[in-house]
């Protein structure tokens, strides 16, 4: 049974989609069967794999509203072992559709249930908001991965984000443990990045939330989506690629320790 991981942060520009795409690709290259579920109407994860979001026959929205099976919405990427359920702007209406339905908070969980056993890891890329889609995704997930950028305001949102996750756990009785917090957009040349890293280590010193791998601010990581490729394919030797491969290895090692 695959692990469903929600990649979330209510703040935009934190490297959420970059982390989803490049971590998923790294794990696929390491031989794991991986699925990316694009739950953002902007569809950045979809286009990052070179998929034209305006020419899609089916998207995650069609599966959510029950027009097609989730398997029919799942398509292969050009990377071995890596599949995606794509998105486009039609997903922006999903919140309204979900709110109309009984037990709306479990719809995405029910939507994905037929594909979960087919993969080792299922990453859900979420919009930078805490609306009905995000709540649904949390209920559908086994854990949460939180990218946090090395900027001052990111620290202010950490506690709020964790409280939101706990609130969903309490109100909807759906525990979603934190799989890890990964520091992104780190610039070792700046004092601010170093200060943020130190603050995060202090904030989470009594937990194992903060992952050791740090994702650097890297031009190649930023360029890769415009070419419709994960960075590992766009530039295999870049420091961004190497950082995500290291992150994938760290996650696999943690999972092995826990007997997953």
């Amino acid at each position: 049974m695959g692990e469903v991981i929600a990649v979330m942060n209510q703040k935009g520009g934190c490297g959420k989609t970059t982390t989803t795409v490049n971590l998923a690709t790294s794990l696929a290259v390491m031989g794991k069967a991986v699925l990316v579920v694009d739950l953002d109407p902007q569809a950045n994860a979809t286009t990052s794999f070179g998929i034209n979001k305006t020419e899609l026959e089916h998207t995650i929205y069609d599966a959510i509203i029950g027009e097609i099976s989730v398997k029919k919405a799942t398509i292969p990427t050009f990377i071995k072992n890596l599949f995606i359920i794509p998105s486009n702007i039609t997903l922006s209406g999903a919140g309204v559709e979900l709110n109309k339905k009984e037990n709306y908070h479990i719809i995405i969980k029910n939507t994905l249930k037929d594909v979960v056993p087919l993969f080792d890891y299922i990453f859900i890329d979420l919009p930078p908001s805490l609306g009905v889609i995000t709540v649904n995704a949390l209920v559908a997930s086994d854990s949460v991965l939180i990218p946090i950028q090395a900027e001052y305001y990111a620290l202010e949102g950490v506690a709020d984000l964790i409280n939101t996750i706990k609130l969903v756990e309490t109100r909807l009785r759906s525990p979603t443990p934190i799989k890890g917090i990964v520091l992104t957009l780190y610039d070792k040349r700046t004092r601010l990045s170093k200060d943020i890293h130190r603050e995060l280590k202090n904030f989470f010193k009594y937990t194992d939330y903060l992952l050791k791998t740090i994702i650097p601010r890297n031009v190649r990581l930023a360029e890769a989506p415009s070419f419709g490729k994960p960075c590992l394919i766009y530039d295999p030797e870049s420091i961004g690629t190497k950082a995500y491969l290291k992150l994938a290895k760290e996650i696999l090692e943690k999972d092995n320790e826990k007997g997953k």
Side-chain angles (χ1 to χ4, degrees):
M1 183 69 71
E3 180 181 3
V4 182
I5 304 169
V7 184
M8 69 173 291
N9 193 321
Q10 79 272 31
K11 189 178 186 302
C14 65
K16 179 179 53 61
T17 299
T18 298
T19 296
T20 300
V21 168
N22 290 286
L23 179 56
T25 300
S26 298
L27 288 166
V29 168
M30 292 176 178
K32 298 297 180 181
V34 183
L35 174 66
V36 171
V37 181
D38 192 347
L39 271 179
D40 189 340
Q42 295 181 79
N44 290 333
T46 297
T47 58
S48 291
F49 289 105
I51 298 167
N52 188 331
K53 62 184 178 181
T54 65
E55 297 179 355
L56 290 166
E57 184 177 1
H58 302 298
T59 69
I60 183 64
Y61 175 73
D62 300 314
I64 288 173
I65 64 174
E67 284 195 355
I68 61 169
S69 70
V70 68
K71 289 183 179 180
K72 193 169 184 178
T74 304
I75 60 175
T77 68
F78 59 87
I79 298 161
K80 185 180 179 182
N81 301 322
L82 183 54
F83 290 74
I84 186 169
I85 304 178
S87 175
N88 60 22
I89 194 62
T90 58
L91 185 62
S92 59
V96 175
E97 294 286 343
L98 291 174
N99 276 324
K100 293 177 182 177
K101 297 181 182 291
E102 188 177 354
N103 295 321
Y104 73 92
H105 59 282
I106 61 171
I107 289 173
I108 289 177
K109 181 175 184 176
N110 289 338
T111 299
L112 296 177
K113 66 181 180 181
D114 288 341
V115 292
V116 171
L118 306 178
F119 297 93
D120 298 308
Y121 291 98
I122 299 96
F123 291 96
I124 301 180
D125 187 46
L126 288 164
S129 65
L130 295 175
V132 65
I133 292 288
T134 299
V135 170
N136 244 271
L138 282 173
V139 173
S141 298
D142 300 305
S143 62
V144 181
L145 182 66
I146 305 172
I148 295 178
Q149 72 273 43
E151 296 176 2
Y152 173 74
Y153 289 114
L155 284 177
E156 292 189 334
V158 174
D160 289 340
L161 185 58
I162 292 173
N163 286 337
T164 298
I165 294 169
K166 290 180 178 178
L167 186 64
V168 171
E169 290 181 354
T170 303
R171 294 278 181 88
L172 301 178
R173 298 177 183 177
S174 179
T176 314
I178 295 173
K179 187 173 188 68
I181 293 171
V182 56
L183 183 61
T184 62
L185 298 167
Y186 182 86
D187 189 342
K188 64 181 180 181
R189 299 168 299 178
T190 68
R191 180 176 176 177
L192 176 61
S193 284
K194 294 173 183 176
D195 287 347
I196 297 299
H197 189 211
R198 184 174 60 252
E199 289 291 330
L200 283 172
K201 286 196 290 186
N202 183 59
F203 191 87
F204 294 111
K205 63 184 176 182
Y206 298 116
T207 74
D208 62 349
Y209 291 165
L210 188 62
L211 295 166
K212 295 176 183 177
T213 304
I214 296 173
I215 307 301
R217 186 178 291 275
N218 177 239
V219 172
R220 307 304 266 176
L221 277 175
E223 289 175 346
S226 65
F227 290 88
K229 298 176 181 178
C231 199
L232 190 147
I233 306 301
Y234 177 63
D235 186 352
E237 298 302 318
S238 75
I239 60 170
T241 291
K242 292 176 180 177
Y244 276 109
L245 286 168
K246 185 178 179 183
L247 179 62
K249 185 178 179 182
E250 180 179 355
I251 286 174
L252 288 175
E253 288 174 351
K254 284 188 72 172
D255 287 349
N256 288 335
E257 289 173 3
K258 294 177 181 178
K260 289 186 178 180

